[in-house]
Each structure stands twice: as structure tokens, then as C-alpha cells.
Amino acid sequence: MKRTPEIQVPRGELLERLRAQVTAKEARVRPSPFPVPAELAGLLEGGLKPGAAYSLATPGALLLALLAGPSAEGHWCGVVGMPEFGAEAAGRAGVALDRVALVPEPAEQWLAATAALAEALPVVAVRPTGRVREADAARLASRLRDRGSVLLVHGPWPRVEASLALGEPRWSGVGDGYGYLTSREVTVTVRSRRVPGARTVRLVLPAPDGRLALLPEPAAQPAALRAVG
């Protein structure tokens, strides 16, 4: 029986072919990042990475801003261990309330509740009521990767994709003993395991409409005033 001659492919070319095949396969099966407000997209490499966990030092308005994008696109979101989660504030922030599942007080079952929701929902937020063990975090991380879900954690968490914190708050709307708080300026700081160093942006969160916004541009002074200054 005549043997078919072997075709010799240079090693470098073979590696390039394999790399291209893997990249093409990943592009077909890897979900796109979940959307975040445009003002945060640059700090989070375009959005929330499926299969990843994120740590929020102070959830509140920041959490609502991160839930707004996925829920508005039709994705279900779960919130575990946050009894203070306000429907009115969430709706004003752009969260689609008909696609939010709440487990306000899971007590010691917070991890089980979080794992169960991660099986079915694309985005899950949780405030742990106890210290998480490395083994439990690793099992949950594996489940997130399998399902392509995102975990938003209030507080520290092992091996997060990025951590987000708010600082330097400044509220507006209150005069000398009168008025209502209408908006808050904050500095958002993001530290990612993929990008060295911290990145920051100054935003209005929440803005008067309850959402996230860029700081308004300062009004230009008239030429006469600039000359006097």
C-alpha cells in the first residue's frame, strides 16, 4: 500500500494556524461584555466581562449604574443580601425592575442563594454576610465561567477582575439651611488585574435624574472678565 507523502509545515506557520483557529472558535462561543455606562466603559475594558467577579467598595448608586445596562438590554439581574435595595432609586437609575430578582435577607444561605441565581441569571450582585472561603469562591468562579455570568460583590472578594471605589464626594442642591440634595460629584477609581495602576474619572453619581453623568463643562468667562482676572 502506497503511503501518502507527509506535508511538512514550518513550525511558525503551524502555530499561527492553530492560534487563528482558537481565536475564531473563542469569538463564536465567548459572550460579549455586558454593557456599562459609556462614562465607565473605558475604565472597565468596554464592559463587564462574562465569567468574572467585580468588587464594589461602596455599592449604592454605583451598583445601580452597573445593573442598568444589562437589565435594559433584557438580561435578568439578581440582588442578594441587600434589603435596602430601593425600587424607586433603581428605576430612576435605569434598572428594568421587571428583570430583577431579589433575595433581601438570605442570612447564612447567602452563598447558596448566590450560586443558585448564578446558574440562571447573567448578572448577580451580593453582599456577603460572612467571610467567604477560598474553596467556595473558586467553585463559584467556575460556575460563573461555565454560565458566562457576572458577579458584583459588596466588599473584598478573591481574584476579582477589577475593584471599584468611590471617593471625594460633593453633594449639590442644599443652600443655607434649605433645599434638597439633588446630585453628587464623586471620583470613581478602578483597579484591574489586567491593567497596572489605578484609573480614575470624576462623575456625577447620581445626577438629578438619578443616573450617571459626566461633569458639566465649566461656563466660559466673558473676555472682559478674563482680562481683569
Side-chain angles (χ1 to χ4, degrees):
M1 179 173 161
K2 187 176 180 181
R3 295 183 59 188
T4 302
E6 295 182 0
I7 300 177
Q8 298 294 328
V9 179
R11 183 172 181 271
E13 182 180 344
L14 179 60
L15 289 176
E16 286 299 322
R17 288 183 185 180
L18 292 174
R19 187 177 295 112
Q21 291 175 8
V22 171
T23 301
K25 183 177 180 181
E26 286 184 347
R28 290 195 300 270
V29 302
R30 183 178 60 232
S32 300
F34 293 101
V36 297
E39 297 84 356
L40 294 177
L43 303 184
L44 293 171
E45 288 84 55
L48 299 174
K49 179 183 175 183
Y54 295 82
S55 170
L56 310 182
T58 307
L62 180 58
L63 173 62
L64 298 183
L66 295 177
L67 294 179
S71 68
E73 281 203 349
H75 301 292
W76 273 81
C77 302
V79 180
V80 180
M82 301 185 190
E84 76 284 0
F85 185 88
E88 182 178 354
R92 282 172 52 82
V95 178
L97 298 177
D98 58 345
R99 285 186 285 276
V100 176
L102 300 177
V103 185
E105 298 182 3
E108 298 304 317
Q109 299 301 313
W110 67 270
L111 185 58
T114 302
L117 288 181
E119 285 281 349
L121 307 186
V123 180
V124 179
V126 60
R127 174 185 288 153
T129 57
R131 185 164 177 250
V132 63
R133 297 182 301 176
E134 285 280 347
D136 291 333
R139 282 192 291 269
L140 184 54
S142 177
R143 186 167 302 186
L144 294 173
R145 289 191 296 269
D146 289 343
R147 299 295 182 180
S149 301
V150 168
L151 184 66
L152 304 174
V153 185
H154 176 198
W157 190 263
R159 297 183 297 278
V160 293
E161 180 72 16
S163 60
L164 296 86
L166 302 182
E168 302 174 341
R170 188 173 70 180
W171 283 94
S172 302
V174 176
D176 295 331
Y178 65 92
Y180 298 92
L181 295 173
T182 58
S183 64
R184 178 185 63 169
E185 295 180 16
V186 293
T187 298
V188 181
T189 301
V190 176
R191 290 179 171 83
S192 171
R193 68 186 182 90
R194 298 178 182 274
V195 180
R199 290 164 292 166
T200 63
V201 63
R202 189 73 176 169
L203 300 171
V204 182
L205 179 67
D209 63 357
R211 304 198 178 204
L212 181 151
L214 288 172
L215 285 175
E217 293 290 338
Q221 291 183 342
L225 292 179
R226 290 200 301 270
V228 173

